[in-house]
Amino acid sequence: MTKIPQYTKLLELYKEITLLNNINGVLYWDFEVMMPKKGTEQRSEELAYMSGLIHERNISPQIGKLLKKIQEHKSFDDLSFQQKRNVELIMRDYEKATKIPVAFAKELAKHGAISTEHWKTAKAKADFSIFRDDLAKMIELKKQEAAYLNPDGDPYDVLLDDYEYGFNKKIYDKIFAEAKSGLTPLIQSLVTATNQPDDSLILRKCPVRVQTALAHDVAAFVHYDLNAGRIDTAVHPFTTGYFDDVRITIAFDENDFTNSFFATMHEVGHALYEQNIAPEFKYQPIGKATSSAMHEGQARFIENIIGRNPAFWEFYLEKFKKITGKIFKDVQLEPFAHAINKVVPSKIRIHADPLTYSMHIILRYELEKALFADKLTVDELPSFWNEKMEEYLGIEIENDAEGILQDTHYAWGLFGYFPTYALGSYYNAQFLKVLKKDLPTWEDQLREGKIQAILDWLNKNIRRVGKLYDPLDLVKRVTGEDFTAKYFVEEVKNKYTKLYGL
Ligand code: ZN
């Protein structure tokens, strides 16, 4: 309750926007999973209409007026911590949305669509020159956008903060230096180790029917509530939903069950976050995940820290063999756990293992940082990329399609976004350090197939609190320390040297 009627009104508006977003989410899920082929054009129009409607609501001057009245109200100080946080979060989004002129936002979106078309051609022909001019223009547009958001700020710092609140070059420089110095020698020693994993333990024909049964079984094991969710098939796995209806999708490869199996664990990790935010926060700004990188972290916690953990397989392998029948009958625990944790440098980011993945991200960060500081020109990008790949992962890039052109992000102007992809795993390792202290038997419990205490820990410390705190504050609250990547390095060093018998 509050003595400020404008606060109540503001939260009502926020609830409406949330409902619209949820409706949009179901339309999108249907588009990806259920919709008949012919419906594409019609649905695209519906989705575009909804996006326009939501944007209009987000920048409504009424929100600006209410925010002002609330802050000037004599009872403002009587608002609770949670209520003040709600006001702060709405204000942050409102200011951001209204600082960008509508005409500029349209130009940016239009150029994104055009440059994405050219990027597709450039990638297909492995010819950077086709995309060069679009990219140069996009970089100028993003500098302009940064200036709108914060005219006094460093452009790349502004973009970094835009994707993960509170982050800047200073923080990334520190954590990526920690990661780089630890990971480079580790990757080198794993790649040259004589004891290499045996792929034939994994790459066996496994029918979709069996993989579906596995997906349902492992989802139930980590307590994914199917009365508040669904598992369906889509081209690219994703999760969508809110509190009591959070759905995941996965894709199947008959010759490699790990794709659907770990995608299930990953997406369920996302879903569990949404399903376990404090129910009393529903329809409020605090009733959301801390950040997208924290969301990704929660997904990887289930996928990597649980799913790729040899302790989990000590319990799960027998069950796995029962479900898969004859296919994996001869498989032994140790070589199998090694095989699902194979480290191999690759040209393509999305095919990278959890360890070399960081190097792909660090490369992109260094490139973007130099680019926005005018220390690197657009024409130098392909060779910068190729030299770094050679230096960090010992990989020779033969053409730009497998180099600078591999991701769609830059065509859309997503500079400052890639660095957030590394954060989830670093957050996790720092949290894990505390979880181990609070729950020293966590791996013994996994060995016995018990997961409740681990899930309780995640719920209490991370999922339930929703967006009450910004990511760096949450890390500090839970761990008592500033954010660091040193625990990630420690964790993977420990895990992989054991797996590789070094
Ligand atoms: Zn994810």
Side-chain angles (χ1 to χ4, degrees):
M1 281 307 289
T2 163
K3 285 178 219 150
I4 310 180
Q6 289 88 351
Y7 176 83
T8 312
K9 180 69 196 160
L10 184 69
L11 269 285
E12 275 170 25
L13 291 181
Y14 183 83
K15 180 176 175 178
E16 269 181 53
I17 295 170
T18 306
L19 293 176
L20 287 171
N21 272 315
N22 292 351
I23 293 165
N24 205 29
V26 178
L27 282 176
Y28 174 74
W29 175 86
D30 179 76
F31 174 78
E32 291 286 333
V33 177
M34 293 297 254
M35 197 188 70
K37 231 182 177 166
K38 265 190 166 177
T40 306
E41 221 183 299
Q42 200 172 304
R43 178 58 47 88
S44 302
E45 213 172 313
E46 290 160 2
L47 286 169
Y49 177 78
M50 287 300 292
S51 299
L53 199 61
I54 292 166
H55 182 68
E56 231 171 71
R57 294 291 176 100
N58 275 325
I59 58 165
S60 155
Q62 203 189 350
I63 293 182
K65 282 180 203 150
L66 289 170
L67 281 167
K68 197 165 178 285
K69 288 232 165 89
I70 293 165
Q71 282 176 306
E72 288 167 352
H73 203 281
K74 59 180 187 325
S75 299
F76 179 77
D77 286 336
D78 299 336
L79 288 178
S80 69
F81 169 71
Q82 294 178 1
Q83 289 170 326
K84 279 188 187 146
R85 177 69 175 165
N86 280 331
V87 174
E88 182 189 354
L89 289 170
I90 292 177
M91 169 100 78
R92 204 185 273 172
D93 284 347
Y94 180 75
E95 283 188 342
K96 205 190 264 183
T98 50
K99 271 179 186 167
I100 308 283
V102 178
F104 177 79
K106 278 189 181 154
E107 189 189 354
L108 191 61
K110 195 174 152 201
H111 184 63
I114 293 168
S115 88
T116 300
E117 279 311 304
H118 292 165
W119 164 77
K120 279 183 196 160
T121 314
K123 189 176 173 181
K125 294 188 174 170
D127 182 354
F128 178 71
S129 70
I130 297 170
F131 179 51
R132 189 229 169 261
D133 291 350
D134 288 313
L135 183 59
K137 185 177 171 189
M138 184 52 93
I139 293 161
E140 289 314 308
L141 286 172
K142 291 305 282 189
K143 284 181 181 167
Q144 176 71 60
E145 187 189 29
Y148 280 128
L149 288 172
N150 180 359
D152 307 318
D154 170 273
Y156 193 48
D157 274 339
V158 174
L159 296 176
L160 289 170
D161 177 88
D162 192 25
Y163 291 110
E164 189 75 354
Y165 188 83
F167 278 72
N168 53 35
K169 282 185 285 189
K170 201 175 153 213
I171 296 171
Y172 277 117
D173 280 347
K174 175 187 165 282
I175 59 160
F176 283 148
E178 290 168 340
K180 202 159 117 181
S181 67
L183 293 178
T184 312
L186 177 63
I187 291 169
Q188 180 64 21
S189 68
L190 297 176
V191 170
T192 53
T194 45
N195 177 24
Q196 289 298 318
D198 178 4
D199 281 338
S200 74
L201 299 174
I202 289 172
L203 304 178
R204 298 177 177 185
K205 201 160 171 65
C206 183
V208 167
R209 173 183 49 81
V210 178
Q211 294 191 37
T212 306
L214 272 176
H216 279 265
D217 187 74
V218 79
F221 174 74
V222 292
H223 296 204
Y224 176 46
D225 182 0
L226 277 170
N227 286 318
R230 292 179 57 90
I231 303 176
D232 292 280
T233 313
V235 183
H236 300 290
F238 67 93
T239 300
T240 182
Y242 194 66
F243 286 87
D244 299 327
D245 178 1
V246 189
R247 308 170 186 200
I248 73 159
T249 67
I250 51 174
F252 297 100
D253 175 352
E254 288 224 310
N255 297 310
D256 186 354
F257 83 95
T258 60
N259 280 347
S260 70
F261 187 84
F262 290 112
T264 302
M265 293 197 93
H266 182 94
E267 299 307 329
V268 162
H270 278 303
L272 287 171
Y273 198 165
E274 295 290 334
Q275 287 180 338
N276 287 288
I277 293 172
E280 62 271 26
F281 292 175
K282 201 173 186 181
Y283 300 129
Q284 298 175 48
I286 53 173
K288 278 171 73 169
T290 304
S291 70
S292 59
M294 196 62 74
H295 223 305
E296 188 57 19
Q298 288 303 292
R300 290 186 206 170
F301 198 102
I302 300 297
E303 179 193 354
N304 294 330
I305 294 182
I306 306 289
R308 290 183 206 269
N309 193 326
F312 161 71
W313 285 96
E314 243 179 80
F315 156 74
Y316 198 69
L317 191 60
E318 280 316 307
K319 236 178 153 206
F320 174 77
K321 285 184 180 181
K322 224 174 250 170
I323 296 169
T324 53
K326 287 185 194 139
I327 310 168
F328 297 98
K329 221 176 100 194
D330 60 308
V331 162
Q332 301 291 315
L333 176 66
E334 253 182 59
F336 181 80
H338 193 188
I340 58 168
N341 283 293
K342 184 178 178 175
V343 173
V344 54
S346 59
K347 292 172 180 171
I348 308 297
R349 175 185 60 86
I350 57 168
H351 297 156
D353 56 78
L355 229 166
T356 56
Y357 191 86
S358 268
M359 303 312 290
H360 287 263
I361 298 306
I362 292 170
L363 180 159
R364 285 159 176 77
Y365 170 69
E366 290 173 348
L367 179 148
E368 293 173 10
K369 190 178 130 182
L371 191 61
F372 279 82
D374 294 321
K375 287 180 180 156
L376 192 64
T377 67
V378 176
D379 295 305
E380 288 166 340
L381 290 178
S383 58
F384 179 92
W385 185 287
N386 299 352
E387 280 159 27
K388 290 273 177 190
M389 277 305 273
E390 174 89 55
E391 185 189 338
Y392 293 164
L393 292 171
I395 278 182
E396 198 180 322
I397 298 294
E398 279 155 43
N399 63 64
D400 293 334
E402 56 185 39
I404 180 81
L405 293 173
Q406 68 177 263
D407 296 303
T408 179
H409 299 56
Y410 293 158
W412 286 108
L414 299 176
F415 296 99
Y417 188 25
F418 277 127
T420 70
Y421 288 6
L423 300 179
S425 300
Y426 303 170
Y427 287 151
N428 280 344
Q430 195 164 340
F431 290 145
L432 189 61
K433 184 97 185 151
V434 181
L435 186 149
K436 283 176 179 170
K437 233 179 255 161
D438 294 348
L439 204 66
T441 60
W442 77 287
E443 274 186 323
D444 295 326
Q445 298 200 24
L446 270 185
R447 283 186 191 97
E448 293 168 17
K450 291 180 189 155
I451 196 163
Q452 187 65 56
I454 298 168
L455 296 177
D456 286 347
W457 191 94
L458 290 173
N459 281 339
K460 175 176 162 248
N461 289 289
I462 295 146
R463 296 168 177 165
R464 277 192 67 83
V465 296
K467 213 178 169 69
L468 269 186
Y469 309 104
D470 290 319
L472 289 168
D473 296 337
L474 183 65
V475 168
K476 182 111 194 207
R477 282 184 69 86
V478 176
T479 70
E481 273 186 88
D482 284 333
F483 181 43
T484 167
K486 72 180 182 204
Y487 297 120
F488 175 72
V489 172
E490 200 180 284
E491 177 67 23
V492 292
K493 222 183 239 174
N494 225 322
K495 177 178 174 179
Y496 287 89
T497 47
K498 249 185 239 156
L499 283 162
Y500 276 74
L502 294 172

